[in-house]
Amino acid sequence: MYNCTKNIEEILKEYEGNESVAQTLTNFDSYYAHTPSEANPNKSETLAEHLGLVEDYFKEIVKIHGLDAAIDALISDYLSKIEIGSLQLADCIKELFVHSICYHDHGKVNENFQASPEKMNNPNFKGKENPENGIGTQHSTLSAFIFLCHKIDEISKKLTGKEQIVAISAAVLFSYGIYKHHGKYFDDDYLTKIITDNRIAEKLKGYLNLFKTESDSSRIVNSLLKLEMVLEKISFTDYAQSFSMYQLLRLNFSLLTASDFLATNEYMNQDRIIDFGVLSRERINKMVKRIQTEHWLDDQGQKRNFNKKTYQDLDTLSLEKPISKSNKNLNLLRQQMATEAIRNVRENLGERIFYIEAPTGGGKTNISMLVALELLEANPELNKVFYVFPFTTLIDQTYKSIQQSLDLSENEIVALHSKTSFLKDNEEDDDYGDKRKNYLGHLFLNYPFCLLSHVRFFNVLVTNEKEHNYILHRLANSVVVIDELQSYSPKHRDKVIYFIQEYARAYNIRFIIMSATLPKINKLKLEIPVQNIVYLLPNAREDYFQNVNFKDRVAFDFSLTDQKIELDYLAEKVMEESQIYAKKDLGTVKPKGSVFTIIEFIFKKSATRFFSEIQKINNGFFEEVFVLSGTILEHRRRYIINFLKQKENRKRKILLITTQVVEAGVDIDMDIGFKDKSLLDSDEQLAGRINRNVYKSDCKLFLFDFNRESVLYGDDLRYMMTRTHISKEVRKMILETKNFDLLYDKVIAFKDQRNADTNFSGFNQYQDLVEHLKFRSI
């Protein structure tokens, strides 16, 4: 271990006293960083003022998110991987990490940047323009050049041998963040143009004379010009090769660009950001007390807090499972799952990855919330929570549930759906005007609870785009709940577990992974062994999935899968079964004369055709026929779901025609269902929308064969394995017994076989991209 001897605040204090522009730049107060804005029209901001603000925000962000320890751990791991290092080298790399942020705007000493009417319009530099400097009005290239020159000179004096080469390599890598801090992307080529273009280096060396240094600028530049040859000779990539360096660069870029943006925002809009959206210990304790002791979750006494009983009985509740089917026993099983998960997490508070495998309708979201609170309460460094979902419907639904359960204000929780960027390709982000209004809220997730999509979350983990990378630093010391893991394509699951375990380690993140059909991705054979994963419900299949209250809520009927079905015949079958079920009298939960039927198709076009087909024979039987697909507007989707949940509509006969948007987590309770068979876990997900609370009897899900699944799932390993390695009888058994390991074990074995085959581009090739810093390819 190479624990650095200084924290970031101490490094910044030394820098401000010895190396800041106020100490080293001749006539430092004559250089501008930003020109007046409408909110601050009186004076330009000097370069020294701006850099001071950037350093203040940098220091604050590091402190609030506990990043000192993460940076030290990454540096230590990096040096261990390359097997070169000392405490002096570790300290040097950490200083480079910090100083690259401090130096990011030094290039604004460019007289063209200062004099240009489109940039600073600084009267101090009128008539002093230099059209031959090779960079026009740019400042990022010059900033990287100045940083590299100063740092390589320092390194040459402090270190020797391989340690010197490692430190110089790190300086080159950190200079890339400076060079790209107004661009949109990190590219695969991380060697900056200033290293490979001797002519520019010669033209820029005069700027070094503006700084009060003891070193000779010509000698420094000559060293820089030899750098490419030196790095090539000693194989530069040997000293860049690790996940830890990949993370150090992205974290550095996140902190640089976030601090720069917040500092610029403060000057432009006179708006000091003081709330960084983290939970205090007092707030955590208040949430814990509410969940454990409050009788009601609302002021009207309508929303009962069932978790109070869970905590009251936590030490005494028997986990012996009920054997008869009833709503009371279903709720007992839900309480037992929550109890078992809490007991197990308390025994493993130091672990970082947790699995919640629970049946559909078992209360996974509630259990995950309780586990998250346990982790927050027990680990003082944890101070924020991310919930990650595959669908908008789940984001909205969970938002309301968590907000009410924890009594969160609008300033404490946010739901993010959009992937839209405010920047166009090749547009730089140093323009602050009216069009940047509300941009701050879009970029910085300053909320203790953040609900976002799978796509958006994994963009933060792997992206080369700056906008998503802004918030990377916020992941440190957080709890991340990933719901519906089965929605990830199996071809990416090795990458998923790789990033989850690496981020958990590097950023001290607690991951809670959950699903009703949970693939055991930790079984994958990776070069880096999968860390210990705690199963919070270790015997979930035997104890819960196969209990009659979950297993027998819905019976699967396979009679329509023997051959392709025609829509007219399917419509008649739906009508026939709905009429039969409507005659049942099950009391208030399903009055006589009512029926809630759902039918799901793989494609929207098929759903639309079926709507026309059922209308031909309906003759008023179904009082409402709804169509719900991914293209339905949000307010209409919300109306349909609320309509199905309103008690006064339970007496009606309703048909819901849908696509797969209702499968995962949508809280509706239908009586019977029909589904175009596809993936086995997809079939199981729809079954979870039927007889959700075990109040009813004789509920069925009829599977049929209409569309070709291969059109949508042809390259999905689950589909491939089901089609070629699993018989029809075994498919039935999987759905009836909920033993999805019979499928996933085959998928994992196939993935391992492919990854080991050098003829295929597998996980090892992907890991090479990460360790060789191929940002765009990743």
Side-chain angles (χ1 to χ4, degrees):
M1 286 290 290
Y2 306 98
N3 290 319
C4 301
T5 60
K6 300 173 188 173
N7 62 35
I8 283 175
E9 187 171 358
E10 291 169 335
I11 295 172
L12 283 171
K13 187 174 181 180
E14 287 183 4
Y15 170 84
E16 289 164 3
N18 302 317
E19 205 170 332
S20 66
V21 291
Q23 300 298 322
T24 62
L25 178 61
T26 306
N27 299 323
F28 70 91
D29 54 355
S30 65
Y31 294 91
Y32 296 166
H34 297 108
T35 53
S37 65
E38 290 183 9
N40 188 13
N42 296 322
K43 62 183 286 290
S44 294
E45 181 185 38
T46 67
L47 180 58
E49 289 170 338
H50 171 63
L51 291 174
L53 265 184
V54 171
E55 290 156 24
D56 288 345
Y57 273 108
F58 173 37
K59 182 165 52 180
E60 188 71 9
I61 291 171
V62 166
K63 181 180 178 181
I64 286 171
H65 295 294
L67 290 166
D68 243 309
I71 293 165
D72 285 354
L74 286 168
I75 292 171
S76 178
D77 185 70
Y78 167 63
L79 294 178
S80 297
K81 287 288 192 303
I82 63 173
E83 299 180 342
I84 299 172
S86 64
L87 195 55
Q88 186 180 20
L89 179 58
D91 282 343
C92 179
I93 292 175
K94 190 169 184 178
E95 283 187 5
L96 290 169
F97 184 101
V98 174
H99 288 177
S100 63
I101 295 173
C102 301
Y103 269 80
H104 80 280
D105 267 352
H106 275 45
K108 287 185 175 179
V109 298
N110 179 358
E111 60 275 88
N112 296 338
F113 177 84
Q114 292 294 323
S116 170
E118 290 77 27
K119 298 294 184 179
M120 295 298 99
N121 199 26
N122 187 341
N124 297 316
F125 291 86
K126 292 298 181 182
K128 298 179 181 179
E129 295 88 344
N130 177 11
E132 302 300 325
N133 70 354
I135 56 171
T137 62
Q138 292 180 33
H139 71 274
S140 299
T141 297
L142 181 55
S143 297
F145 174 82
I146 294 169
F147 168 78
L148 267 179
C149 287
H150 285 192
K151 295 303 145 188
I152 289 173
D153 196 47
E154 288 179 15
I155 292 167
S156 300
K157 295 173 182 176
K158 289 195 296 188
L159 298 171
T160 59
K162 287 187 177 181
E163 288 198 350
Q164 183 185 95
I165 296 170
V166 170
I168 290 174
S169 298
V172 173
L173 293 169
F174 288 129
S175 75
Y176 188 52
I178 301 174
Y179 178 67
K180 297 290 287 188
H181 79 274
H182 283 302
K184 187 175 175 66
Y185 299 101
F186 256 20
D187 296 308
D188 286 354
D189 181 12
Y190 44 81
L191 288 173
T192 64
K193 289 181 181 177
I194 54 174
I195 296 174
T196 58
D197 193 333
N198 296 0
R199 292 168 300 173
I200 290 183
E202 287 289 354
K203 290 178 179 179
L204 297 183
K205 71 179 182 181
Y207 290 103
L208 298 177
N209 297 324
L210 299 174
F211 296 88
K212 303 168 187 174
T213 63
E214 299 177 2
S215 303
D216 173 62
S217 61
S218 295
R219 180 180 58 78
I220 296 174
V221 172
N222 286 334
S223 298
L224 181 64
L225 294 179
K226 295 176 184 176
L227 180 60
E228 184 185 10
M229 181 180 64
V230 172
L231 293 176
E232 183 179 344
K233 184 177 179 181
I234 54 90
S235 185
F236 172 58
T237 53
D238 287 347
Y239 301 109
Q241 201 174 116
S242 78
F243 181 89
S244 296
M245 179 52 76
Y246 168 71
Q247 278 309 307
L248 279 169
L249 295 176
R250 292 193 61 233
L251 179 58
N252 173 267
F253 195 56
S254 176
L255 290 167
L256 190 166
T257 52
S259 302
D260 187 30
F261 192 99
L262 293 171
T264 304
N265 172 74
E266 178 172 336
Y267 167 73
M268 289 294 183
N269 300 313
Q270 294 296 283
D271 180 21
R272 175 76 179 175
I273 302 299
I274 57 175
D275 182 3
F276 289 88
V278 295
L279 294 164
S280 66
R281 300 313 300 171
E282 180 184 9
R283 186 69 182 96
I284 291 171
N285 293 336
K286 187 176 180 180
M287 290 189 298
V288 170
K289 182 180 179 182
R290 172 180 172 84
I291 284 296
Q292 295 185 3
T293 64
E294 293 291 331
H295 192 65
W296 300 102
L297 296 176
D298 61 340
D299 296 333
Q300 297 76 33
Q302 300 292 318
K303 178 76 172 176
R304 186 182 299 276
N305 176 23
F306 294 101
N307 291 308
K308 178 182 178 181
K309 180 171 175 55
T310 297
Y311 278 95
Q312 283 178 335
D313 302 342
L314 189 63
D315 297 326
T316 59
L317 182 71
S318 169
L319 296 183
E320 184 176 348
K321 305 300 179 282
I323 58 174
S324 60
K325 190 167 66 170
S326 70
N327 179 256
K328 179 180 178 181
N329 284 338
L330 177 66
N331 287 330
L332 173 60
L333 285 167
R334 288 167 174 161
Q335 183 184 358
Q336 288 176 333
M337 281 189 281
T339 299
E340 189 176 357
I342 293 168
R343 290 174 181 175
N344 284 332
V345 76
R346 286 184 176 182
E347 292 178 2
N348 295 278
L349 291 169
E351 299 296 341
R352 292 198 173 110
I353 306 176
F354 302 88
Y355 267 8
I356 299 175
E357 184 180 18
T360 302
K364 290 189 297 297
T365 300
N366 182 64
I367 295 171
S368 72
M369 180 185 70
L370 300 181
V371 172
L373 288 177
E374 291 285 333
L375 293 169
L376 287 169
E377 184 182 27
N379 298 281
E381 74 279 9
L382 302 180
N383 58 14
K384 65 195 82 74
V385 180
F386 294 89
Y387 267 86
V388 184
F389 304 99
F391 307 117
T392 296
T393 50
L394 282 173
I395 293 176
D396 291 337
Q397 185 173 294
T398 308
Y399 178 96
K400 295 173 186 175
S401 173
I402 292 178
Q403 184 181 40
Q404 186 175 54
S405 295
L406 301 180
D407 192 28
L408 300 174
S409 70
E410 290 186 356
N411 293 325
E412 293 178 308
I413 185 168
V414 66
L416 293 177
H417 305 142
S418 176
K419 295 178 287 180
T420 304
S421 167
F422 276 80
L423 289 182
K424 298 176 181 177
D425 285 347
N426 302 318
E427 181 183 356
E428 296 198 344
D429 74 342
D430 58 352
D431 177 17
Y432 291 79
D434 290 340
K435 72 176 183 177
R436 311 296 282 192
K437 191 176 182 181
N438 298 324
Y439 192 31
L440 200 63
H442 176 79
L443 289 180
F444 300 101
L445 308 182
N446 289 335
Y447 300 85
F449 285 81
C450 181
L451 285 67
L452 66 169
S453 70
H454 285 173
V455 170
R456 186 151 188 162
F457 179 74
F458 272 88
N459 273 343
V460 175
L461 297 195
V462 305
T463 188
N464 68 323
E465 293 184 24
K466 182 171 68 172
E467 256 190 63
H468 294 293
N469 197 63
Y470 271 130
I471 59 174
L472 174 66
H473 63 268
R474 282 193 61 83
L475 296 182
N477 297 304
S478 67
V479 178
V480 176
V481 182
I482 299 180
D483 195 11
E484 306 296 349
L485 183 70
Q486 82 288 340
S487 65
Y488 293 91
S489 170
K491 68 182 179 181
H492 294 309
R493 286 180 185 163
D494 44 10
K495 306 179 190 74
V496 168
I497 191 60
Y498 168 65
F499 279 112
I500 284 175
Q501 70 169 359
E502 289 293 341
Y503 272 93
R505 176 179 58 83
Y507 289 88
N508 191 39
I509 301 171
R510 301 303 195 274
F511 282 96
I512 302 169
I513 304 170
M514 58 186 189
S515 170
T517 54
L518 192 64
K520 310 302 190 299
I521 54 179
N522 58 303
K523 292 182 179 180
L524 285 161
K525 296 176 183 176
L526 304 182
E527 186 175 316
I528 301 173
V530 177
Q531 296 173 351
N532 183 40
I533 294 180
V534 178
Y535 284 79
L536 296 177
L537 302 174
N539 299 307
R541 187 159 60 85
E542 294 81 1
D543 290 347
Y544 301 109
F545 283 87
Q546 294 184 352
N547 188 280
V548 293
N549 289 279
F550 288 109
K551 183 170 71 73
D552 295 341
R553 287 184 303 175
V554 182
F556 285 89
D557 188 305
F558 302 90
S559 61
L560 302 179
T561 61
D562 292 333
Q563 58 187 10
K564 292 286 183 180
I565 199 168
E566 298 295 332
L567 286 184
D568 56 348
Y569 176 78
L570 181 60
E572 291 174 2
K573 184 66 175 177
V574 169
M575 185 66 70
E576 176 189 342
E577 293 294 336
S578 298
Q579 289 170 341
I580 292 172
Y581 203 85
K583 295 176 182 177
K584 296 180 181 295
D585 187 354
L586 303 177
T588 56
V589 297
K590 209 297 292 181
K592 186 176 182 178
S594 75
V595 66
F596 279 20
T597 303
I598 184 171
I599 181 167
E600 180 192 297
F601 291 89
I602 296 174
F603 300 112
K604 176 191 169 185
K605 185 177 180 180
S606 301
T608 304
R609 286 178 56 196
F610 183 80
F611 175 80
S612 300
E613 204 66 45
I614 200 73
Q615 294 292 54
K616 296 177 185 176
I617 62 173
N618 187 20
N619 296 324
F621 174 77
F622 286 114
E623 299 163 68
E624 298 285 351
V625 178
F626 294 119
V627 178
L628 188 60
S629 69
T631 57
I632 295 294
L633 293 176
E634 177 60 24
H635 72 275
R636 177 62 177 171
R637 183 196 66 79
R638 195 177 294 121
Y639 169 81
I640 293 171
I641 292 174
N642 289 337
F643 189 93
L644 291 167
K645 295 171 73 169
Q646 289 170 4
K647 292 181 180 179
E648 59 269 27
N649 293 327
R650 183 55 257 199
K651 297 179 181 180
R652 294 173 176 263
K653 293 185 280 290
I654 298 171
L655 174 63
L656 176 62
I657 305 169
T658 183
T659 58
Q660 291 161 300
V661 294
V662 302
E663 282 181 11
V666 177
D667 188 16
I668 57 175
D669 187 8
M670 310 302 285
D671 300 334
I672 59 172
F674 294 78
K675 183 181 184 300
D676 194 356
K677 67 181 182 66
S678 57
L679 302 177
L680 290 175
D681 36 12
S682 175
D683 298 341
E684 171 65 16
Q685 287 291 337
L686 186 70
R689 309 312 124 204
I690 300 170
N691 197 18
R692 198 161 174 81
N693 293 302
V694 197
Y695 284 120
K696 296 168 286 191
S697 59
D698 301 322
C699 296
K700 290 184 179 181
L701 175 58
F702 295 85
L703 296 176
F704 60 88
D705 187 5
F706 181 65
N707 285 129
R708 291 173 55 205
E709 309 98 292
S710 60
V711 175
L712 187 61
Y713 300 111
D715 63 346
D716 193 304
L717 294 179
R718 290 168 294 181
Y719 173 74
M720 292 168 57
M721 292 297 106
T722 302
R723 187 165 175 264
T724 59
H725 289 72
I726 298 178
S727 67
K728 185 175 181 180
E729 289 70 27
V730 174
R731 290 177 222 165
K732 292 180 181 180
M733 184 181 70
I734 290 173
L735 288 172
E736 290 170 347
T737 65
K738 315 305 178 189
N739 188 2
F740 287 90
D741 285 349
L742 293 174
L743 167 63
Y744 287 130
D745 285 349
K746 293 184 183 298
V747 172
I748 287 170
F750 183 82
K751 278 289 292 180
D752 286 338
Q753 180 183 352
R754 276 289 175 90
N755 284 334
D757 190 337
T758 56
N759 293 318
F760 291 93
S761 178
F763 172 74
N764 292 336
Q765 287 71 33
Y766 187 83
Q767 188 177 347
D768 284 344
L769 294 176
V770 174
E771 296 185 349
H772 287 85
L773 313 180
K774 301 300 182 183
F775 295 101
R776 180 167 287 205
S777 296
I778 294 165

